[in-house]
Amino acid sequence: MMKTDVHEMLIDLDKKHFIHPTSSLKQQHESGAPFIFSSGEGVYLTDTKGRKVLEGMSSLWNVNIGYGRKELAEAAYEQMSKLAFTNSFSSMSNEPAIRLAAKLAELAPGNLNAVFFTSGGSESNDTAYKLVRYYWKLKGLPDKKKIISQKKGYHGVNIGATSATGISPFHTLTNSPAPDFVHVDTFSIDSLKACIEKEGADNIAAFLTEPVQGAGGVNIAPEGYLQEVRAICDEHNILLIADEVITGFGRTGKMFACEHYSVVPDLLLFAKGVTSGYIPLGGVMVTDAIHRELVERSDGTLLHGYTYSGHATACAVGLKNIEILERENLVENSRLMGEELLNGFKELQMEFDFIGEVRALGLIGAIEMVHPITKQRFDSFIAPRVSEEAAKRGLIVRTVVFEGMDTVVFSPPLIINKQEVQELISIMRAALAAVQEEL
């Protein structure tokens, strides 16, 4: 069967049988998938038509060590050949889960030394909300159950995680958000203080934040913000949750983004980069103090857990992924190539007058689109047009076009080299030039 015939067959099957997440159902049904990828190597993907593209997003911010890493396949095969899976309920355990938990405790800042495993970021978020509420209940403070999060923050699509997400379109999919979630202005100390005063510290379980907001437009916490948040939480007896699902495992040029600010949260959420997307895995890390309280005060079963919590194969892949991150010094490469990426953004900013702010921290960054005269948003979004032109030229990026944003965002694999960064910038230059002709 010819490549074209295979591609058309897959398009037809895709339309009929595959309901895509976070996609336009109408567009998928009418037009089919823009790409059906069949293989990947390094920072590149190849589709069923034979088109090769540079993955400027690490898929969904997560393929940190790049595509085609046979070591991870071998680690999975070796573990599956011995013990693919056994449950972790009723205190059962397995060696890869134990070893990965210990390794994460070694890597995490401060005394974040105990881990609850999940299958991904949404589960990690919902787990954290339940754990903090359980924690306060055990301490005799059951009214401390509200979760404060930030506008433009993204935390997942489970019912709790959706409710914590501070992006309004996610709340209108259904008409039944979970109770006890409150949102404050992004990176605003005054807004946080006002919220605590209004809601009452005795009713607040935790404050939830991304050190760098990913899906909300790559908004980077200003220097001093997290330090002040830490102090406010301590003053008001509120737990601090850092959502590092996107930023963990080297994405920002540190193993965890909160290290940039020398802040240790009470809970740290992870997923994505822990296995570089090769197999689903996530988790919640808690401090020794919280772990100790949970152990000493509980007298029954912790009635929370997922079938695949501590999945042996997933944890074995996570261990090998971290080994590669460390062996190849990819966290430092993220820092260095992040500087190259930001320099490239600044060059583009000088060349195109409809580029507003550019920003990056390690290998996560953004370019904003603004009207060249008013410096306000265009009447119609420009970022999707830039993304489409980039895709035509062999570069995959994402756009953020809600809450008044018109932004192209980037998150390439941590293995990217200087030549590949330059290729990314070159394609963006051509895409921007094509859009400029239409303005």
Side-chain angles (χ1 to χ4, degrees):
M1 196 178 252
M2 299 288 289
K3 271 187 178 180
T4 303
D5 296 331
V6 171
H7 179 80
E8 292 305 317
M9 177 194 71
L10 290 172
I11 285 286
D12 186 53
L13 292 173
D14 184 77
K15 289 180 181 180
K16 289 180 179 178
H17 304 296
F18 187 4
I19 300 175
H20 286 248
T22 313
S23 301
S24 167
L25 300 185
K26 186 180 295 292
Q27 182 178 347
Q28 178 212 344
H29 185 73
E30 293 175 352
S31 305
F35 290 94
I36 301 177
F37 293 115
S38 57
S39 63
E41 187 69 28
V43 300
Y44 298 98
L45 290 173
T46 302
D47 77 351
T48 51
K49 283 185 172 181
R51 295 177 293 180
K52 183 178 179 181
V53 297
L54 197 164
E55 214 341 331
M57 281 303 303
S58 301
S59 191
L60 282 176
W61 324 83
N62 61 336
V63 188
N64 287 14
I65 67 169
Y67 296 91
R69 302 300 291 252
K70 291 181 172 57
E71 281 185 81
L72 294 194
E74 291 164 356
Y77 174 79
E78 181 182 349
Q79 183 59 44
M80 292 176 83
S81 299
K82 296 187 298 184
L83 178 67
F85 164 77
T86 182
N87 83 82
S88 298
F89 286 28
S90 302
S91 300
M92 300 292 184
S93 200
N94 65 78
E95 184 175 351
I98 294 168
R99 292 192 180 279
L100 180 57
K103 182 62 180 178
L104 291 168
E106 174 190 319
L107 294 175
N111 58 350
L112 289 157
N113 288 323
V115 184
F116 185 102
F117 286 112
T118 71
S119 299
S122 293
E123 287 185 359
S124 297
N125 270 274
D126 271 33
T127 295
Y129 314 153
K130 291 178 76 173
L131 285 178
V132 297
R133 287 164 172 167
Y134 181 54
Y135 169 85
W136 290 119
K137 183 179 176 182
L138 289 174
K139 289 175 70 70
L141 298 167
D143 290 335
K144 287 178 73 67
K145 56 188 179 182
K146 292 189 177 183
I147 308 293
I148 302 175
S149 57
Q150 295 189 98
K151 296 175 183 177
K152 299 184 183 178
Y154 177 80
H155 302 287
V157 293
N158 289 352
I159 189 67
T162 297
S163 301
T165 290
I167 301 169
S168 58
F170 284 92
H171 301 158
T172 57
L173 179 68
T174 69
N175 59 355
S176 56
D180 296 320
F181 288 90
V182 185
H183 301 94
V184 297
D185 293 339
T186 305
F187 302 139
S188 168
I189 292 297
D190 289 341
S191 184
L192 176 58
K193 287 180 176 179
C195 181
I196 294 172
E197 183 175 352
K198 178 183 177 182
E199 302 294 338
D202 291 343
N203 299 313
I204 300 168
F207 175 64
L208 168 68
T209 184
E210 297 168 277
V212 178
Q213 292 183 328
V218 184
N219 305 304
I220 303 167
E223 184 58 43
Y225 173 77
L226 283 177
Q227 295 93 325
E228 194 164 354
V229 164
R230 175 75 274 181
I232 290 169
C233 287
D234 290 342
E235 178 187 353
H236 293 284
N237 205 24
I238 295 170
L239 296 178
L240 174 60
I241 306 172
D243 184 339
E244 296 236 21
V245 169
I246 286 176
T247 53
F249 304 98
R251 174 57 56 194
T252 66
K254 298 278 189 182
M255 187 59 75
F256 295 100
C258 58
E259 295 178 78
H260 287 283
Y261 307 95
S262 301
V263 166
V264 178
D266 299 296
L267 298 92
L268 186 149
L269 317 184
F270 67 89
K272 295 189 183 290
V274 67
T275 62
S276 288
Y278 279 65
I279 197 167
L281 183 65
V284 179
M285 301 196 70
V286 303
T287 60
D288 289 332
I290 291 178
H291 188 210
R292 183 171 57 251
E293 294 277 13
L294 294 176
V295 169
E296 293 178 355
R297 291 178 181 268
S298 63
D299 56 5
T301 300
L302 174 63
L303 291 174
H304 178 72
Y306 303 100
T307 298
Y308 300 120
S309 291
H311 191 288
T313 302
C315 290
V317 171
L319 281 164
K320 181 58 69 173
N321 177 70
I322 291 170
E323 178 187 317
I324 292 170
L325 281 171
E326 292 184 319
R327 185 179 72 224
E328 298 185 5
N329 206 21
L330 294 182
V331 179
E332 176 64 6
N333 191 66
S334 176
R335 184 185 71 80
L336 294 173
M337 291 304 100
E339 293 175 357
E340 290 289 330
L341 187 68
L342 183 56
N343 287 336
F345 290 170
K346 290 177 179 177
E347 291 175 6
L348 296 175
Q349 188 182 40
M350 295 291 291
E351 296 172 32
F352 298 95
D353 59 6
F354 61 97
I355 290 180
E357 183 182 346
V358 299
R359 52 188 177 271
L361 184 64
L363 285 171
I364 182 170
I367 295 176
E368 292 190 351
M369 306 297 155
V370 297
H371 193 283
I373 297 175
T374 66
K375 300 304 177 183
Q376 303 298 313
R377 306 298 178 207
F378 285 88
D379 291 336
S380 60
F381 292 119
I382 302 300
R385 291 155 64 181
V386 175
S387 174
E388 289 170 10
E389 293 296 335
K392 291 178 187 176
R393 293 161 173 78
L395 171 66
I396 300 296
V397 293
R398 291 187 75 194
T399 61
V400 177
V401 291
F402 40 70
E403 310 291 1
M405 293 177 285
D406 190 7
T407 304
V408 182
V409 296
F410 305 79
S411 178
L414 308 191
I415 61 169
I416 198 167
N417 60 37
K418 187 172 182 179
Q419 180 179 341
E420 291 161 345
V421 171
Q422 291 172 346
E423 179 185 353
L424 184 155
I425 296 299
S426 178
I427 295 174
M428 279 299 298
R429 179 176 287 110
L432 289 161
V435 170
Q436 186 177 49
E437 290 182 2
E438 303 171 2
L439 296 178

